[in-house]
Amino acid sequence: MPRIAYFGPQGTFTEQAARAFDEHADLVPLSTIPEVVAALRAGAADFACVPIENSVEGSVSATMDTLAADDPVVAVGEHVLPIRFSLLTRPGTAAADITTVASHPHALAQVRDWLGKNLPGARQLASTSTAAAAVGVLDGEFDAAITAPVASAHYPLTVLASDLADEGDAVTRFLLLAPPGTVTEPTGSDRTSVIVVVSHRPGELAAMLTEFALRGLNLSRIESRPLRARFGEYRFYLDFDGHVSEARVGDALAALHRRSQDVRFLGSYPKADGSASVAVPGSQDTDYEASAAWLAALRRREQE
């Protein structure tokens, strides 16, 4: 069975996502996202499962920073998980007894309204993960924890409330990471992710985006994170439709490599929603083949 390291401990949404990728895998919970990716890089795991973005709270900065540092890893799959929370307490605890409630900051933000209405006097405390909050309840550190539903199967706690979410359609996207050199076969419904550091000159960001527009590539996500050693400069995280095996994608990546300070390939992988990655007329592989054949013939005639 493959070993999948994931952001734990047991009972997190990341565990649910890891099981969705492979329900028969040997799951290895680790305490932080850098530890999860480090296990993959060291060969202690075959894959790693990490959260990358939430529809309410945005990107997971720990994942973004970890992907940009040290040896490269590549995404080979994504999973989008609807997010609903449970409120866990020690047996015998009533809502009126709760003075502290803990969870990961992203989780607390997604049930802020519910807590304000139902536990207005409870102090909200941050923990390293939703499951770590459950452990804190067991240890008497907190009165209650906001957790993933799966946590109730791992910890002897009482579910005081369930199906909690201020936003009914909240989701979190997770990536399945593999060692570099692992590239999935194209499916026609693919996403490619890269990190780009553009040159620190006027117009460079616009020029980078133009490389995608010229090839008919649909950008689904663009975000920036600061370069730690160079204040005022940023790396850009880009997700776009298409697979690295396609001519239009390869041509765009080659152009970025020519004009950027650094390009890190984060993988091409099937999209969770299964939507087609359609190449517009003029950017299909056959169009590139035809133009290359025309140019080759032109160069031959010039040499004659």
Side-chain angles (χ1 to χ4, degrees):
M1 294 186 296
R3 289 169 56 84
I4 302 179
Y6 72 93
F7 177 37
Q10 286 184 316
T12 59
F13 285 106
T14 315
E15 179 190 353
Q16 290 184 230
R19 292 192 184 282
F21 284 120
D22 189 340
E23 61 180 346
H24 302 296
D26 179 16
L27 301 186
V28 183
L30 295 170
S31 299
T32 67
I33 289 171
E35 286 180 56
V36 171
V37 181
L40 174 64
R41 287 171 171 145
D46 302 302
F47 300 96
C49 181
V50 293
I52 184 68
E53 63 174 329
N54 175 266
S55 61
V56 176
E57 286 298 293
S59 295
V60 181
S61 58
T63 297
M64 296 174 68
D65 291 342
T66 301
L67 291 176
D70 300 323
D71 296 334
V73 295
V74 294
V76 294
E78 69 173 14
H79 181 70
V80 176
L81 187 68
I83 301 300
R84 299 291 186 277
F85 298 94
S86 295
L87 179 69
L88 303 189
T89 62
R90 289 183 295 278
T93 301
D97 302 324
I98 297 175
T99 61
T100 56
V101 58
S103 194
H104 188 277
H106 277 202
L108 290 173
Q110 293 178 72
V111 294
R112 185 179 291 116
D113 291 345
W114 188 93
L115 289 172
K117 293 174 183 177
N118 295 273
L119 298 173
R123 192 157 49 101
Q124 299 177 26
L125 302 173
S127 63
T128 56
S129 70
T130 57
V135 174
V137 173
L138 279 176
D139 294 341
E141 186 178 355
F142 316 118
D143 295 326
I146 297 293
T147 72
V150 70
S152 63
H154 293 299
Y155 305 103
L157 296 170
T158 298
V159 180
L160 202 62
S162 61
D163 199 32
L164 310 181
D166 292 344
E167 300 289 339
D169 57 354
V171 297
T172 295
R173 183 165 72 108
F174 297 84
L175 294 180
L176 184 67
L177 305 175
T182 307
V183 179
T184 61
E185 292 296 320
T187 66
S189 173
D190 302 293
R191 191 187 320 278
T192 294
S193 298
V194 295
I195 301 174
V196 182
V197 180
V198 299
S199 299
H200 196 48
R201 296 191 297 266
E204 283 301 309
L205 176 58
M208 176 185 72
L209 298 178
T210 299
E211 300 292 357
F212 293 96
L214 289 173
R215 295 163 179 84
L217 290 167
N218 179 49
L219 278 171
S220 56
R221 176 171 170 257
I222 176 170
E223 294 200 37
S224 63
R225 292 284 294 166
L227 294 173
R228 293 182 177 179
R230 287 144 56 184
F231 181 74
E233 297 187 47
Y234 298 83
R235 60 170 61 93
F236 293 90
Y237 295 73
L238 305 168
D239 292 344
F240 56 94
D241 286 359
H243 192 279
V244 68
S245 64
E246 296 179 60
R248 60 183 180 143
V249 174
D251 200 38
L253 293 177
L256 291 179
H257 188 268
R258 287 195 302 272
R259 68 175 311 122
S260 304
Q261 294 185 33
D262 184 53
V263 179
R264 175 169 287 205
F265 177 68
L266 295 180
S268 292
Y269 47 91
K271 292 190 284 186
D273 63 7
S275 60
S277 304
V278 180
V280 299
S283 65
Q284 299 173 2
D285 282 3
T286 52
D287 298 317
Y288 278 89
E289 292 166 1
S291 60
W294 172 82
L295 181 59
L298 181 64
R299 287 169 171 169
R300 284 196 300 271
R301 288 197 299 270
E302 289 297 321
Q303 293 174 358
E304 292 175 355

